[in-house]
């Protein structure tokens, strides 16, 4: 039985507009207990803002909390479609060193898949484990 991401992705996605402030993004992260938020502009996915983006691209350089998210967000996105095979998604996440993969259809974000979503599906446990291992290994400074 072949599954696709539409069957395992989270559909209840918190997004933020690119013009909103990083303080608003941080507040949303705190209230939803999440570390990243997809950024939209006119309904289209244009980036993702992470707690790390806020720390390194704003706080560390002394910017104030009213800076728009679009000044600190990551824009080099790896995305999948709802019909993407979960094995392929796990490989994409490992290759691009990401823990969360936006699922996009016609430019609109329709879901999000976390590495843990793939690990819950026993079939994908190996790929998710390898992806997480690869991400953790490359993140360490030797």
């Amino acid at each position: 039985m072949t599954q696709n991401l539409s069957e395992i992705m989270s559909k209840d996605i918190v997004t933020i507009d690119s013009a909103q402030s990083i303080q608003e993004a941080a507040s949303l992260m705190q209230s939803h207990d999440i570390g990243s938020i997809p950024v939209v502009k006119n309904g289209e996915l244009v980036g993702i803002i992470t707690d790390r983006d806020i720390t390194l691209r704003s706080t560390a350089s002394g910017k104030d909390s009213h800076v728009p998210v679009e000044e600190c967000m990551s824009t080099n996105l790896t995305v999948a479609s709802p019909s993407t095979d979960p094995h392929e998604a796990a490989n994409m996440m490992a290759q691009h060193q990401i823990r969360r993969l936006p699922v996009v259809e016609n430019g609109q974000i329709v879901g999000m898949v976390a590495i843990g979503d793939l690990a819950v599906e026993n079939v994908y446990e190996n790929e998710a484990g390898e992806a997480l291992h690869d991400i953790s290994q490359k993140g360490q400074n030797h």
Side-chain angles (χ1 to χ4, degrees):
M1 181 176 114
T2 307
Q3 278 189 310
N4 57 36
L5 291 185
S6 66
E7 298 172 59
I8 58 174
M9 68 185 187
S10 301
K11 294 176 180 89
D12 187 21
I13 307 302
V14 175
T15 62
I16 191 163
D17 188 89
S18 60
Q20 286 180 266
S21 73
I22 58 169
Q23 189 281 321
E24 290 172 284
S27 181
L28 279 171
M29 288 178 195
Q30 180 182 32
S31 61
H32 292 277
D33 194 27
I34 53 179
S36 66
I37 302 175
V39 181
V40 294
K41 186 173 194 168
N42 302 322
E44 300 239 337
L45 180 68
V46 294
I48 196 160
I49 185 89
T50 66
D51 46 9
R52 184 173 166 85
D53 290 335
I54 292 171
T55 301
L56 297 180
R57 296 181 183 161
S58 172
T59 311
S61 47
K63 293 182 181 172
D64 76 31
S65 61
H66 301 293
V67 169
V69 218
E70 64 189 348
E71 287 187 24
C72 299
M73 69 184 184
S74 298
T75 54
N76 187 11
L77 296 183
T78 299
V79 299
S81 76
S83 61
T84 299
D85 177 84
H87 294 278
E88 175 61 21
N91 290 333
M92 291 166 67
M93 293 168 91
Q95 182 181 353
H96 295 281
Q97 301 298 298
I98 54 175
R99 290 182 165 87
R100 287 171 206 84
L101 184 65
V103 181
V104 176
E105 192 168 40
N106 300 321
Q108 313 276 313
I109 184 157
V110 294
M112 190 75 108
V113 175
I115 209 88
D117 297 331
L118 297 173
V120 169
E121 301 292 321
N122 290 337
V123 177
Y124 313 115
E125 204 168 323
N126 289 344
E127 281 100 333
E130 287 171 23
L132 192 56
H133 177 265
D134 290 348
I135 291 167
S136 298
Q137 288 294 91
K138 290 184 181 167
Q140 294 176 359
N141 293 325
H142 294 284

